[in-house]
Amino acid sequence: MFSYQDIMDLLDNKTLSSEGAKAGLIFGTVSGAYIFLAQMLQNLGQTGAIITYILSIAKLVGLIWLMRFYMTRLNEVYDEVDWKQTFCFGLYTAFFSALITAACAYMAYAYVYPTLAQQSLEAAIQAYGNNIDSNTQNEMTKMIEHFPLISFFTYFIWCYIYGTLLSLFLAKRVSNNNTTEIEEDENE
């Protein structure tokens, strides 16, 4: 295995975190804007649902492209960057992006659209009708009070896992310097 110091040999941790924070700010802003926009489009009915679907696909493709762009740029700016450092950059980007996206979700559901959770609960109860007993309805009602906080943690965990997997996938493909991997293979 490799140690933490091996990862930071060529590019220090402060630079990686700074670059990751800058990229994460853009990722989080895009994802946060999508949360607010999707809620606004919800009022348009079927047309809003179609536009939201198209926007979600565009967001997904755009964020993958942006991650690849920022990782490639990191490798161009810092000549001796290996895939491990590129992956660490992706982890920092994922962390800061997830934090910003989760904060946007919390603000959206706590302050901008506070009745959304209650409306969703009422729609679920109507859809399932008699299949939901009173205890389940009571627990769902209690959960509504904590919906913004639940949304914060849900968005944070999902975005961080997604960003980590994307970083892992792209790091080896984007990195210019894979000598560490070659050296490890020769030593085995």
Side-chain angles (χ1 to χ4, degrees), residues 84-102:
K84 294 173 190 174
Q85 291 171 319
T86 304
F87 176 64
C88 283
F89 165 78
L91 287 178
Y92 281 119
T93 302
F95 175 78
F96 288 114
S97 172
L99 192 60
I100 293 168
T101 302

Side-chain angles (χ1 to χ4, degrees), residues 2-186:
F2 53 89
S3 69
Y4 180 75
Q5 186 60 36
D6 292 337
I7 295 172
M8 298 300 136
D9 278 343
L10 303 174
L11 187 62
D12 67 337
N13 192 30
K14 185 175 181 181
T15 304
L16 276 175
S17 64
S18 175
E19 294 294 325
K22 290 176 195 174
L25 177 63
I26 293 171
F27 281 69
T29 302
V30 169
S31 296
Y34 171 78
I35 292 169
F36 286 102
L37 189 59
Q39 295 307 319
M40 287 181 359
L41 291 173
Q42 195 174 35
N43 296 332
L44 298 178
Q46 188 68 20
T47 305
I50 292 170
I51 294 170
T52 302
Y53 180 73
I54 292 168
L55 285 176
S56 67
I57 291 173
K59 181 186 82 137
L60 178 69
V61 171
L63 290 178
I64 291 170
W65 180 84
L66 268 176
M67 180 67 89
R68 187 175 193 287
F69 170 78
Y70 279 111
M71 286 182 161
T72 303
R73 193 178 91 188
L74 180 78
N75 280 275
E76 290 171 356
V77 171
Y78 301 99
D79 294 333
E80 296 297 319
V81 176
D82 63 2
W83 76 271
K84 294 173 190 174
Q85 291 171 319
T86 304
F87 176 64
C88 283
F89 165 78
L91 287 178
Y92 281 119
T93 302
F95 175 78
F96 288 114
S97 172
L99 192 60
I100 293 168
T101 302
C104 288
Y106 181 83
M107 290 187 324
Y109 300 128
Y111 302 112
V112 180
Y113 304 107
T115 60
L116 180 67
Q118 185 65 34
Q119 291 169 353
S120 299
L121 173 66
E122 290 170 4
I125 290 172
Q126 288 177 357
Y128 291 108
N130 295 332
N131 294 335
I132 298 177
D133 62 9
S134 61
N135 291 332
T136 305
Q137 287 181 7
N138 290 337
E139 290 302 316
M140 290 172 74
T141 304
K142 289 178 187 175
M143 193 173 80
I144 294 301
E145 298 170 11
H146 304 290
F147 185 73
L149 191 59
I150 293 168
S151 296
F152 176 86
F153 286 110
T154 303
Y155 271 94
F156 180 80
I157 291 168
W158 164 248
C159 291
Y160 187 68
I161 290 172
Y162 174 75
T164 300
L165 293 175
L166 182 61
S167 298
L168 184 63
F169 179 76
L170 290 175
K172 286 191 177 183
R173 286 158 181 76
V174 171
S175 183
N176 294 330
N177 186 358
N178 288 322
T179 57
T180 307
E181 181 181 38
I182 295 169
E183 290 172 340
E184 287 176 2
D185 290 341
E186 290 175 1

